Amino acid sequence: GGRSGGGGFGDHPPASSSPSPSPKARGNSSTRVVVCSRATASRRLSPLRAHPWLLRSLDGLWSLHSLFFSAGVLAAGYGRQLVYILPTYALLHVPAVYFGINLLRHVDTPATSLRVAAALAAYASTWLWVADEIATAGAAVGHVTAEWMRDEGVLCE
């Protein structure tokens, strides 16, 4: 480690903020100092000025950070819901629909494919999943409201 050249974090040359038109290495090889000026920074950031929307999107409440975080939370919610629903759907709903369709068909009709059964199962059970989400959200709101009412003294036990 350290500045003696041992291969650690301290082997990088120290940075200096002295004014200079461009980054240069000054001094001999053992005491090199990297110098960067405002003009150098301006020149290096000039390609970003050609796209002002990019600079605006990095600042403020709805910056890229907020949008990517929101998208990540939304994707995690969808992923959780898929993990929650998929086993029940694949192991219960699709086989039940497949057997029901093929057991109730006429003898002369060809057997229904598994793909059609999966589509029908998704169509038939979507409203159940939505109702489950609404009931879960309603129960959570009711619980929070009851706690709030208890804290405010409105609800007596």
Side-chain angles (χ1 to χ4, degrees), residues 20-44:
S20 171
S22 64
K24 296 179 182 176
R26 294 189 176 171
N28 60 26
S29 62
S30 65
T31 61
R32 289 179 64 168
V33 175
V34 176
V35 180
C36 184
S37 69
R38 187 174 293 221
T40 303
S42 178
R43 189 176 69 247
R44 294 226 174 137

Side-chain angles (χ1 to χ4, degrees), residues 61-101:
L61 177 65
W62 294 108
S63 66
L64 285 178
H65 303 92
S66 299
L67 292 176
F68 283 136
F69 179 75
S70 300
V73 167
L74 190 63
Y78 284 140
R80 182 201 66 85
Q81 195 63 16
L82 279 176
V83 168
Y84 173 70
I85 287 175
L86 212 53
T88 306
Y89 174 73
L91 299 174
L92 183 68
H93 295 194
V94 173
V97 170
Y98 182 74
F99 290 130
I101 289 172

Side-chain angles (χ1 to χ4, degrees), residues 121-139:
Y123 180 74
S125 59
T126 299
W127 71 272
L128 292 171
W129 295 328
V130 171
D132 179 54
E133 283 298 310
I134 291 171
T136 303

Side-chain angles (χ1 to χ4, degrees), residues 2 4 31 44 63 66 81 107 124 141 145 150 154 157:
S4 60
T31 61
R44 294 226 174 137
S63 66
S66 299
Q81 195 63 16
V107 178
V141 167
T145 304
R150 238 181 254 115
V154 177
E157 297 204 22

Side-chain angles (χ1 to χ4, degrees), residues 1-20:
R3 297 185 187 272
S4 60
F9 290 110
D11 292 336
H12 299 288
S16 170
S17 61
S18 62
S20 171

